[in-house]
Amino acid sequence: MTEPTTDTVKRTGVPLLSVKDLTMTFPGRRSATGRRGAPVRAVDGVSFDLEAGRTLGLVGESGCGKSTTGRMLVRLLEPTSGRIAFEGQDISRMSQGALRPLRGNIQMVFQDPHSSLNPRQTVARIISEPLLVQGRSAGDARRRAADLMELVGLIPEHIDRYPHEFSGGQAQRIGIARSLATEPRLIVADEPVSALDVSVQAQIVNLMERLRTELGLAYVFIAHDLSVVKRVSDRVAVMYLGRIVEIGDKASLYENPQHPYTRALLSAVPLPDPAAERRRERIVLLGDPPSPVAPPPGCTFHPRCPKAQEVCRTERPLLRLAASREVACHFPGD
Amino acid sequence: MAAPLLEVRDLHVTFTTPRGAVRAVDSVGFTVESGRTLGIVGESGSGKSVTSLAVMGLHRGAVEVGGSVALAGRPLIGLSERELGTVRGRRMAMIFQDPLSSLHPYYTVGEQIAEHFRVHFKAGRAAARRRAVDMLGEVGIPEPARRAGEYPHQFSGGMRQRAMIAMALACEPDLLIADEPTTALDVTVQAQILELIARLQQERGLGVVMITHDLGVVARVAHEVLVMYGGRAAEQAPVDALFAEPAHPYTRGLLDSLPRLDTADDEPLPFIPGSPPSLLAPAPGCAFAPRCPRAAERCTAERPEPAAYGDGPGRTVACHFAGVPAVEEAAR
């Protein structure tokens, strides 16, 4: 696979996060008769770099492997193969013990704020837990928890309340505060606003942007909502069936998508503008995303692709440079 | 003039809960004409889904429904369950966010559509089965004869939603109520389903009620829009007028706060503070007042009723300050 080429990746120095050929193969599910099905390659050779203080958006539809990728980055899942380097250090094979001093640097924010918070713990306990694990004193951790609550727009006096006493938006602020406790450099956020009411989403998006500037955080922002990803990202990677099909600078990717899947995806998003909706030409794809259990040969997008040719059915396209970004397509562009 | 296809007036829905009565829907009214789509937009707790269930007469348990619902002039509230059963399915049908909630796992998809048809049309088995296959073909399921013999779990999410639409439309209803039909689907599949509903609407002159939280979906499919907040109608308008000039501060706040594909994003997003209200403890005044940038004393004391707004027909707004220029807007 080619080296990332966009200007956000500095040639000098080591990127904060460098992911190379990351692959995750799940064993097949056991059927009622005890026989195992074919293994599922959920993530198949994903590579990207991320600089400190920047945001990479990871978009795609269900089953594309974006969440599995995120879980491997924080080592909630053990990658089958590939390399995850944090500040140059490969953490993909590290034992949990060796990983512990680095853990605080990479934290995760989850989709459903309420189910990712222990209902029987107070906010104080939830936010300070990572600090107690690191060996900080209880009093120290509690003071830090109160500061973090203030930082994310919660009232520190509510520190002894339980998660159910908070709204969805507030609960997500608690989840964010918890992720910040250990002063991470990188946050992997998996659909952080998609479970929230529309009127609350903007609050959380703004909060995450402010925290990024104030604390110099980098985000891997995983979402299915292309509008939200456009809002928060510097670079965007579009995934389809376990692979990145297009990755590049946000502005150019959204203005001039090169991969037919990116084009279809963007044209499918309904715009909150009825006049524009009537004018718009939509590329409506046929069928559903195929199952990763039995991916089509060649380019996995070819059964749904309006431009598919013979070569697409037989030969898998690799990421290569097209219109100042990388695209995995035999016929990128118009 | 003939009665509208669906006319809902002064609809009230009250749940009795251990923590007191909850008025989930409060004096909501709207009409839907044949061949038109009414979009009902709202967030969780806005009452949009409860409204649709009450229209269908599908509410269960300790629920009190008041007001009037008339389908082509025929009142539905007060009908017996048996009478309602013939109206449902035959004249109006509903599809849901999760197709598995309406498809039985033990019967093939074809059997379920055929059964539906047999009940309402007294058709024979063979005719009903043919009808099921035809309908599956019409909603774009490839190899309909083979797929009719499969079970719901063998269908993908998008195909299940198509099957549910086939079942809903098998008896040629005049009205289709769709409650978040594409929320659980991927965006490329959502586009297919919205297109399918639009095509069927055109071919059959269906009236459609599309319930959604997604303003983009509303902009794409709706002719008229009802914006609900805290169980009440905040604003009602033709779709172009609503998006061009939202009159209720909630509608405006919601539109301003959307991250969008078609605008720049260098400024922080404007946002609505706070969260949607709890229906358990409704405020005496306007439900949106605690989050509203324009709220004055009057708004927390006196509930605004929907009133005609602007020049065009079919616009109502429930806001004390609708049409009154805001100071901060003049300054902008």
Side-chain angles (χ1 to χ4, degrees):
Chain A
M1 238 163 257
T2 49
E3 286 294 308
T5 43
T6 28
D7 54 2
T8 50
V9 177
K10 290 183 203 116
R11 287 283 161 186
T12 54
V14 184
L16 182 72
L17 178 72
S18 179
V19 174
K20 192 107 181 99
D21 282 330
L22 199 60
T23 296
M24 182 74 217
T25 309
F26 292 108
R29 229 189 281 176
R30 259 188 214 289
S31 70
T33 55
R35 203 174 295 161
R36 266 205 195 285
V40 179
R41 187 162 284 201
V43 175
D44 189 2
V46 161
S47 303
F48 59 81
D49 284 358
L50 177 61
E51 291 295 304
R54 307 294 250 167
T55 300
L56 175 79
L58 216 51
V59 285
E61 300 182 285
S62 50
C64 73
K66 57 189 191 299
S67 290
T68 304
T69 302
R71 285 174 177 266
M72 284 191 283
L73 297 181
V74 296
R75 287 286 302 273
L76 279 173
L77 283 172
E78 299 294 321
T80 310
S81 65
R83 183 183 138 93
I84 303 165
F86 185 79
E87 293 184 316
Q89 197 173 0
D90 188 355
I91 59 166
S92 61
R93 303 262 160 269
M94 249 179 214
S95 71
Q96 294 293 340
L99 196 60
R100 185 157 300 148
L102 287 170
R103 271 263 184 238
N105 281 316
I106 311 177
Q107 290 290 309
M108 188 149 186
V109 172
F110 298 91
Q111 171 173 5
D112 185 340
H114 274 120
S115 71
S116 62
L117 304 176
N118 187 336
R120 301 174 63 171
Q121 290 183 346
T122 62
V123 177
R125 173 80 198 183
I126 290 169
I127 299 178
S128 56
E129 178 97 39
L131 296 169
L132 298 173
V133 169
Q134 286 192 339
R136 298 266 282 269
S137 76
D140 197 20
R142 187 182 164 87
R143 272 189 300 280
R144 171 106 178 108
D147 290 346
L148 284 164
M149 287 182 77
E150 188 147 22
L151 180 68
V152 300
L154 292 167
I155 300 165
E157 284 72 41
H158 295 168
I159 193 163
D160 290 315
R161 294 193 177 179
Y162 289 87
H164 74 267
E165 297 175 76
F166 295 87
S167 69
Q170 290 170 328
Q172 193 57 295
R173 289 176 197 265
I174 297 171
I176 291 171
R178 173 180 58 187
S179 77
L180 295 175
T182 56
E183 299 180 43
R185 313 267 325 269
L186 170 69
I187 287 185
V188 177
D190 189 2
E191 299 276 10
V193 302
S194 57
L196 304 176
D197 271 314
V198 183
S199 72
V200 179
Q201 287 188 4
Q203 299 173 13
I204 300 299
V205 166
N206 285 351
L207 171 67
M208 291 186 69
E209 297 210 305
R210 176 168 66 76
L211 292 172
R212 178 170 81 148
T213 324
E214 284 178 12
L215 306 176
L217 293 169
Y219 291 125
V220 173
F221 194 102
I222 301 166
H224 71 282
D225 185 329
L226 289 131
S227 316
V228 172
V229 167
K230 170 169 174 280
R231 177 83 219 175
V232 300
S233 305
D234 300 301
R235 296 177 75 212
V236 175
V238 181
M239 289 187 71
Y240 190 77
L241 223 63
R243 296 174 189 168
I244 291 178
V245 296
E246 180 162 3
I247 178 168
D249 217 49
K250 169 182 72 179
S252 70
L253 187 134
Y254 275 84
E255 273 156 35
N256 185 17
Q258 293 291 306
H259 196 285
Y261 178 63
T262 315
R263 301 169 81 91
L265 208 52
L266 284 170
S267 90
V269 178
L271 301 176
D273 177 346
E277 274 294 323
R278 282 192 291 269
R279 277 197 310 271
R280 243 171 136 201
E281 246 180 80
R282 263 191 293 282
I283 309 164
V284 177
L285 293 177
L286 299 173
D288 302 283
S291 152
V293 179
C299 172
T300 50
F301 184 58
H302 87 255
R304 303 177 78 196
C305 183
K307 294 167 74 177
Q309 308 283 322
E310 196 46 46
V311 60
C312 307
R313 288 176 195 89
T314 53
E315 203 178 304
R316 170 181 168 179
L318 298 179
L319 275 177
R320 58 164 188 256
L321 207 63
S324 79
R325 87 203 66 143
E326 291 170 82
V327 186
C329 177
H330 294 301
F331 304 100
D334 289 310
Chain B
M1 213 173 86
L5 176 60
L6 177 69
E7 184 166 34
V8 174
R9 276 211 300 246
D10 196 27
L11 186 72
H12 288 76
V13 182
T14 311
F15 293 92
T16 315
T17 77
R19 291 165 72 188
V22 172
R23 179 147 282 193
V25 177
D26 193 354
S27 20
V28 167
F30 54 85
T31 60
V32 183
E33 300 288 352
S34 295
R36 307 283 289 180
T37 297
L38 170 74
I40 303 185
V41 215
E43 303 179 272
S44 50
S46 65
K48 59 189 194 301
S49 290
V50 177
T51 298
S52 62
L53 291 174
V55 167
M56 289 291 289
L58 287 172
H59 47 277
R60 292 286 175 274
V63 186
E64 197 192 302
V65 177
S68 80
V69 175
L71 189 68
R74 182 183 182 197
L76 298 185
I77 290 180
L79 287 189
S80 71
E81 190 51 37
R82 198 195 155 100
E83 290 169 309
L84 208 51
T86 59
V87 178
R88 257 195 322 251
R90 185 67 193 84
R91 303 296 311 278
M92 60 181 186
M94 186 161 180
I95 59 175
F96 300 89
Q97 177 175 335
D98 178 11
L100 284 185
S101 63
S102 332
L103 293 169
H104 197 293
Y106 288 179
Y107 296 93
T108 66
V109 171
E111 280 167 351
Q112 297 184 54
I113 300 172
E115 172 69 16
H116 196 61
F117 188 66
R118 269 160 51 85
V119 166
H120 288 285
F121 280 87
K122 313 269 180 283
R125 272 175 204 287
R129 169 154 176 92
R130 271 198 306 279
R131 175 79 184 158
V133 174
D134 286 351
M135 280 311 301
L136 287 175
E138 200 176 327
V139 298
I141 290 181
E143 301 180 70
R146 183 175 68 79
R147 300 304 301 256
E150 291 186 351
Y151 293 88
H153 76 267
Q154 294 172 286
F155 279 50
S156 68
M159 287 295 157
R160 277 178 206 149
Q161 198 56 277
R162 286 177 192 268
M164 191 159 69
I165 293 170
M167 185 150 73
L169 299 186
C171 296
E172 308 200 332
D174 307 311
L175 177 72
L176 177 70
I177 299 182
D179 187 359
E180 302 267 12
T182 59
T183 304
L185 302 176
D186 283 320
V187 63
T188 59
V189 181
Q190 163 172 284
Q192 297 168 4
I193 298 294
L194 294 179
E195 246 174 49
L196 171 66
I197 294 174
R199 173 169 68 77
L200 294 169
Q201 171 173 48
Q202 247 179 3
E203 289 168 5
R204 296 158 175 250
L206 268 178
V208 174
V209 178
M210 176 70 71
I211 295 152
T212 178
H213 69 281
D214 186 330
L215 285 156
V217 169
V218 168
R220 183 172 294 182
V221 305
H223 301 102
E224 284 83 32
V225 186
L226 165 64
V227 181
M228 289 187 71
Y229 190 82
R232 297 171 63 91
E235 172 161 18
Q236 219 168 336
V239 69
D240 286 304
L242 185 94
F243 282 86
E245 194 216 341
H248 196 286
Y250 171 62
T251 319
R252 197 173 323 150
L254 208 53
L255 279 169
D256 285 347
S257 73
L258 288 182
R260 302 173 62 133
L261 283 186
D262 53 351
T263 55
D265 34 31
D266 20 0
E267 297 288 314
L269 279 173
F271 64 94
I272 304 176
S275 347
S278 156
L279 296 173
L280 271 169
C286 172
F288 187 60
R291 307 176 74 188
C292 183
R294 300 192 63 183
E297 218 168 294
R298 186 178 171 200
C299 304
T300 51
E302 188 190 326
R303 174 169 292 177
E305 295 300 327
Y309 176 83
D311 310 323
R315 267 207 101 161
T316 61
V317 180
C319 174
H320 292 308
F321 294 107
V324 181
V327 180
E328 71 270 17
E329 275 166 9
R332 226 187 340 202

PDB file of all heavy atoms in Angstrom, chain B residues 283-290 292 294-304 319-321:
ATOM      1  N   ALA B 283     -44.169  22.038  32.177  1.00  0.00           N
ATOM      2  CA  ALA B 283     -44.201  23.416  32.659  1.00  0.00           C
ATOM      3  C   ALA B 283     -45.553  24.024  32.282  1.00  0.00           C
ATOM      4  O   ALA B 283     -46.179  23.590  31.319  1.00  0.00           O
ATOM      5  CB  ALA B 283     -43.060  24.188  32.012  1.00  0.00           C
ATOM      6  N   PRO B 284     -46.018  25.019  33.052  1.00  0.00           N
ATOM      7  CA  PRO B 284     -47.335  25.593  32.754  1.00  0.00           C
ATOM      8  C   PRO B 284     -47.352  26.364  31.432  1.00  0.00           C
ATOM      9  O   PRO B 284     -48.362  26.372  30.744  1.00  0.00           O
ATOM     10  CB  PRO B 284     -47.593  26.528  33.941  1.00  0.00           C
ATOM     11  CG  PRO B 284     -46.250  26.797  34.536  1.00  0.00           C
ATOM     12  CD  PRO B 284     -45.414  25.590  34.255  1.00  0.00           C
ATOM     13  N   GLY B 285     -46.262  26.947  31.048  1.00  0.00           N
ATOM     14  CA  GLY B 285     -46.256  27.775  29.839  1.00  0.00           C
ATOM     15  C   GLY B 285     -45.852  26.985  28.613  1.00  0.00           C
ATOM     16  O   GLY B 285     -46.232  25.839  28.421  1.00  0.00           O
ATOM     17  N   CYS B 286     -45.057  27.604  27.766  1.00  0.00           N
ATOM     18  CA  CYS B 286     -44.566  26.977  26.542  1.00  0.00           C
ATOM     19  C   CYS B 286     -43.519  25.932  26.915  1.00  0.00           C
ATOM     20  O   CYS B 286     -42.609  26.199  27.694  1.00  0.00           O
ATOM     21  CB  CYS B 286     -43.951  28.048  25.655  1.00  0.00           C
ATOM     22  SG  CYS B 286     -43.103  27.392  24.217  1.00  0.00           S
ATOM     23  N   ALA B 287     -43.652  24.726  26.340  1.00  0.00           N
ATOM     24  CA  ALA B 287     -42.737  23.640  26.692  1.00  0.00           C
ATOM     25  C   ALA B 287     -41.301  23.966  26.298  1.00  0.00           C
ATOM     26  O   ALA B 287     -40.348  23.444  26.883  1.00  0.00           O
ATOM     27  CB  ALA B 287     -43.178  22.342  26.008  1.00  0.00           C
ATOM     28  N   PHE B 288     -41.121  24.836  25.323  1.00  0.00           N
ATOM     29  CA  PHE B 288     -39.779  25.144  24.833  1.00  0.00           C
ATOM     30  C   PHE B 288     -39.152  26.315  25.600  1.00  0.00           C
ATOM     31  O   PHE B 288     -37.950  26.575  25.479  1.00  0.00           O
ATOM     32  CB  PHE B 288     -39.838  25.461  23.335  1.00  0.00           C
ATOM     33  CG  PHE B 288     -38.491  25.627  22.699  1.00  0.00           C
ATOM     34  CD1 PHE B 288     -37.561  24.588  22.717  1.00  0.00           C
ATOM     35  CD2 PHE B 288     -38.135  26.822  22.081  1.00  0.00           C
ATOM     36  CE1 PHE B 288     -36.307  24.738  22.141  1.00  0.00           C
ATOM     37  CE2 PHE B 288     -36.886  26.974  21.487  1.00  0.00           C
ATOM     38  CZ  PHE B 288     -35.972  25.928  21.518  1.00  0.00           C
ATOM     39  N   ALA B 289     -39.941  27.009  26.425  1.00  0.00           N
ATOM     40  CA  ALA B 289     -39.461  28.230  27.088  1.00  0.00           C
ATOM     41  C   ALA B 289     -38.119  28.059  27.811  1.00  0.00           C
ATOM     42  O   ALA B 289     -37.248  28.917  27.694  1.00  0.00           O
ATOM     43  CB  ALA B 289     -40.526  28.771  28.037  1.00  0.00           C
ATOM     44  N   PRO B 290     -37.916  26.932  28.559  1.00  0.00           N
ATOM     45  CA  PRO B 290     -36.638  26.824  29.281  1.00  0.00           C
ATOM     46  C   PRO B 290     -35.406  26.805  28.362  1.00  0.00           C
ATOM     47  O   PRO B 290     -34.300  27.038  28.821  1.00  0.00           O
ATOM     48  CB  PRO B 290     -36.762  25.485  30.025  1.00  0.00           C
ATOM     49  CG  PRO B 290     -38.208  25.167  30.064  1.00  0.00           C
ATOM     50  CD  PRO B 290     -38.810  25.809  28.853  1.00  0.00           C
ATOM     51  N   CYS B 292     -35.466  28.401  25.227  1.00  0.00           N
ATOM     52  CA  CYS B 292     -35.698  29.351  24.134  1.00  0.00           C
ATOM     53  C   CYS B 292     -34.931  30.643  24.335  1.00  0.00           C
ATOM     54  O   CYS B 292     -34.964  31.237  25.414  1.00  0.00           O
ATOM     55  CB  CYS B 292     -37.196  29.647  24.046  1.00  0.00           C
ATOM     56  SG  CYS B 292     -37.608  30.733  22.680  1.00  0.00           S
ATOM     57  N   ARG B 294     -35.670  33.436  23.147  1.00  0.00           N
ATOM     58  CA  ARG B 294     -36.570  34.588  23.164  1.00  0.00           C
ATOM     59  C   ARG B 294     -37.555  34.550  24.322  1.00  0.00           C
ATOM     60  O   ARG B 294     -38.438  35.412  24.408  1.00  0.00           O
ATOM     61  CB  ARG B 294     -37.344  34.647  21.851  1.00  0.00           C
ATOM     62  CG  ARG B 294     -36.450  34.781  20.644  1.00  0.00           C
ATOM     63  CD  ARG B 294     -37.253  35.120  19.414  1.00  0.00           C
ATOM     64  NE  ARG B 294     -37.919  36.418  19.541  1.00  0.00           N
ATOM     65  CZ  ARG B 294     -38.723  36.908  18.607  1.00  0.00           C
ATOM     66  NH1 ARG B 294     -38.974  36.225  17.525  1.00  0.00           N
ATOM     67  NH2 ARG B 294     -39.281  38.086  18.770  1.00  0.00           N
ATOM     68  N   ALA B 295     -37.452  33.556  25.188  1.00  0.00           N
ATOM     69  CA  ALA B 295     -38.471  33.388  26.214  1.00  0.00           C
ATOM     70  C   ALA B 295     -38.569  34.625  27.113  1.00  0.00           C
ATOM     71  O   ALA B 295     -37.562  35.161  27.567  1.00  0.00           O
ATOM     72  CB  ALA B 295     -38.164  32.151  27.049  1.00  0.00           C
ATOM     73  N   ALA B 296     -39.792  35.069  27.336  1.00  0.00           N
ATOM     74  CA  ALA B 296     -40.061  36.162  28.268  1.00  0.00           C
ATOM     75  C   ALA B 296     -40.978  35.627  29.361  1.00  0.00           C
ATOM     76  O   ALA B 296     -41.349  34.459  29.347  1.00  0.00           O
ATOM     77  CB  ALA B 296     -40.718  37.324  27.531  1.00  0.00           C
ATOM     78  N   GLU B 297     -41.346  36.481  30.274  1.00  0.00           N
ATOM     79  CA  GLU B 297     -42.184  36.076  31.400  1.00  0.00           C
ATOM     80  C   GLU B 297     -43.474  35.400  30.937  1.00  0.00           C
ATOM     81  O   GLU B 297     -43.887  34.380  31.465  1.00  0.00           O
ATOM     82  CB  GLU B 297     -42.536  37.320  32.208  1.00  0.00           C
ATOM     83  CG  GLU B 297     -42.546  37.069  33.705  1.00  0.00           C
ATOM     84  CD  GLU B 297     -42.611  38.384  34.441  1.00  0.00           C
ATOM     85  OE1 GLU B 297     -41.643  39.172  34.375  1.00  0.00           O
ATOM     86  OE2 GLU B 297     -43.646  38.612  35.071  1.00  0.00           O
ATOM     87  N   ARG B 298     -44.047  35.967  29.902  1.00  0.00           N
ATOM     88  CA  ARG B 298     -45.314  35.458  29.378  1.00  0.00           C
ATOM     89  C   ARG B 298     -45.190  33.983  28.964  1.00  0.00           C
ATOM     90  O   ARG B 298     -46.130  33.199  29.102  1.00  0.00           O
ATOM     91  CB  ARG B 298     -45.694  36.312  28.175  1.00  0.00           C
ATOM     92  CG  ARG B 298     -47.046  35.994  27.627  1.00  0.00           C
ATOM     93  CD  ARG B 298     -47.357  36.914  26.480  1.00  0.00           C
ATOM     94  NE  ARG B 298     -48.578  36.455  25.838  1.00  0.00           N
ATOM     95  CZ  ARG B 298     -48.926  36.769  24.606  1.00  0.00           C
ATOM     96  NH1 ARG B 298     -48.141  37.532  23.882  1.00  0.00           N
ATOM     97  NH2 ARG B 298     -50.053  36.315  24.099  1.00  0.00           N
ATOM     98  N   CYS B 299     -44.002  33.607  28.450  1.00  0.00           N
ATOM     99  CA  CYS B 299     -43.820  32.260  27.906  1.00  0.00           C
ATOM    100  C   CYS B 299     -43.833  31.189  28.986  1.00  0.00           C
ATOM    101  O   CYS B 299     -44.204  30.055  28.730  1.00  0.00           O
ATOM    102  CB  CYS B 299     -42.510  32.186  27.135  1.00  0.00           C
ATOM    103  SG  CYS B 299     -42.407  33.410  25.832  1.00  0.00           S
ATOM    104  N   THR B 300     -43.399  31.533  30.189  1.00  0.00           N
ATOM    105  CA  THR B 300     -43.387  30.538  31.256  1.00  0.00           C
ATOM    106  C   THR B 300     -44.731  30.494  31.978  1.00  0.00           C
ATOM    107  O   THR B 300     -45.005  29.575  32.733  1.00  0.00           O
ATOM    108  CB  THR B 300     -42.273  30.828  32.277  1.00  0.00           C
ATOM    109  OG1 THR B 300     -42.389  32.187  32.685  1.00  0.00           O
ATOM    110  CG2 THR B 300     -40.902  30.593  31.669  1.00  0.00           C
ATOM    111  N   ALA B 301     -45.574  31.493  31.744  1.00  0.00           N
ATOM    112  CA  ALA B 301     -46.858  31.546  32.440  1.00  0.00           C
ATOM    113  C   ALA B 301     -48.007  31.078  31.552  1.00  0.00           C
ATOM    114  O   ALA B 301     -48.914  30.386  32.002  1.00  0.00           O
ATOM    115  CB  ALA B 301     -47.128  32.984  32.908  1.00  0.00           C
ATOM    116  N   GLU B 302     -47.957  31.415  30.296  1.00  0.00           N
ATOM    117  CA  GLU B 302     -49.116  31.217  29.430  1.00  0.00           C
ATOM    118  C   GLU B 302     -48.718  30.354  28.238  1.00  0.00           C
ATOM    119  O   GLU B 302     -47.752  30.651  27.544  1.00  0.00           O
ATOM    120  CB  GLU B 302     -49.582  32.596  28.949  1.00  0.00           C
ATOM    121  CG  GLU B 302     -50.874  32.604  28.206  1.00  0.00           C
ATOM    122  CD  GLU B 302     -51.078  33.984  27.572  1.00  0.00           C
ATOM    123  OE1 GLU B 302     -50.660  34.997  28.180  1.00  0.00           O
ATOM    124  OE2 GLU B 302     -51.632  34.021  26.466  1.00  0.00           O
ATOM    125  N   ARG B 303     -49.474  29.294  28.022  1.00  0.00           N
ATOM    126  CA  ARG B 303     -49.156  28.380  26.930  1.00  0.00           C
ATOM    127  C   ARG B 303     -49.604  28.967  25.594  1.00  0.00           C
ATOM    128  O   ARG B 303     -50.774  29.327  25.444  1.00  0.00           O
ATOM    129  CB  ARG B 303     -49.877  27.066  27.192  1.00  0.00           C
ATOM    130  CG  ARG B 303     -49.746  26.078  26.083  1.00  0.00           C
ATOM    131  CD  ARG B 303     -50.257  24.753  26.541  1.00  0.00           C
ATOM    132  NE  ARG B 303     -49.372  24.205  27.566  1.00  0.00           N
ATOM    133  CZ  ARG B 303     -49.600  23.063  28.199  1.00  0.00           C
ATOM    134  NH1 ARG B 303     -50.676  22.377  27.950  1.00  0.00           N
ATOM    135  NH2 ARG B 303     -48.744  22.621  29.085  1.00  0.00           N
ATOM    136  N   PRO B 304     -48.708  29.084  24.631  1.00  0.00           N
ATOM    137  CA  PRO B 304     -49.121  29.618  23.324  1.00  0.00           C
ATOM    138  C   PRO B 304     -49.910  28.581  22.535  1.00  0.00           C
ATOM    139  O   PRO B 304     -49.555  27.410  22.516  1.00  0.00           O
ATOM    140  CB  PRO B 304     -47.791  29.926  22.638  1.00  0.00           C
ATOM    141  CG  PRO B 304     -46.809  28.993  23.272  1.00  0.00           C
ATOM    142  CD  PRO B 304     -47.281  28.734  24.679  1.00  0.00           C
ATOM    143  N   CYS B 319     -46.358  30.206  19.161  1.00  0.00           N
ATOM    144  CA  CYS B 319     -45.314  30.984  19.831  1.00  0.00           C
ATOM    145  C   CYS B 319     -45.848  32.388  20.070  1.00  0.00           C
ATOM    146  O   CYS B 319     -46.445  32.984  19.170  1.00  0.00           O
ATOM    147  CB  CYS B 319     -44.053  31.038  18.965  1.00  0.00           C
ATOM    148  SG  CYS B 319     -42.765  32.121  19.642  1.00  0.00           S
ATOM    149  N   HIS B 320     -45.644  32.898  21.275  1.00  0.00           N
ATOM    150  CA  HIS B 320     -46.130  34.246  21.576  1.00  0.00           C
ATOM    151  C   HIS B 320     -45.437  35.299  20.726  1.00  0.00           C
ATOM    152  O   HIS B 320     -45.954  36.381  20.519  1.00  0.00           O
ATOM    153  CB  HIS B 320     -45.898  34.572  23.058  1.00  0.00           C
ATOM    154  CG  HIS B 320     -46.738  33.760  23.985  1.00  0.00           C
ATOM    155  ND1 HIS B 320     -48.099  33.656  23.856  1.00  0.00           N
ATOM    156  CD2 HIS B 320     -46.413  32.987  25.047  1.00  0.00           C
ATOM    157  CE1 HIS B 320     -48.585  32.862  24.806  1.00  0.00           C
ATOM    158  NE2 HIS B 320     -47.570  32.431  25.537  1.00  0.00           N
ATOM    159  N   PHE B 321     -44.243  34.978  20.261  1.00  0.00           N
ATOM    160  CA  PHE B 321     -43.462  35.987  19.540  1.00  0.00           C
ATOM    161  C   PHE B 321     -43.352  35.702  18.047  1.00  0.00           C
ATOM    162  O   PHE B 321     -42.497  36.269  17.378  1.00  0.00           O
ATOM    163  CB  PHE B 321     -42.071  36.111  20.156  1.00  0.00           C
ATOM    164  CG  PHE B 321     -42.106  36.650  21.548  1.00  0.00           C
ATOM    165  CD1 PHE B 321     -41.853  35.832  22.639  1.00  0.00           C
ATOM    166  CD2 PHE B 321     -42.427  37.984  21.764  1.00  0.00           C
ATOM    167  CE1 PHE B 321     -41.905  36.338  23.922  1.00  0.00           C
ATOM    168  CE2 PHE B 321     -42.480  38.484  23.051  1.00  0.00           C
ATOM    169  CZ  PHE B 321     -42.224  37.657  24.141  1.00  0.00           C
TER     170      PHE B 321
END
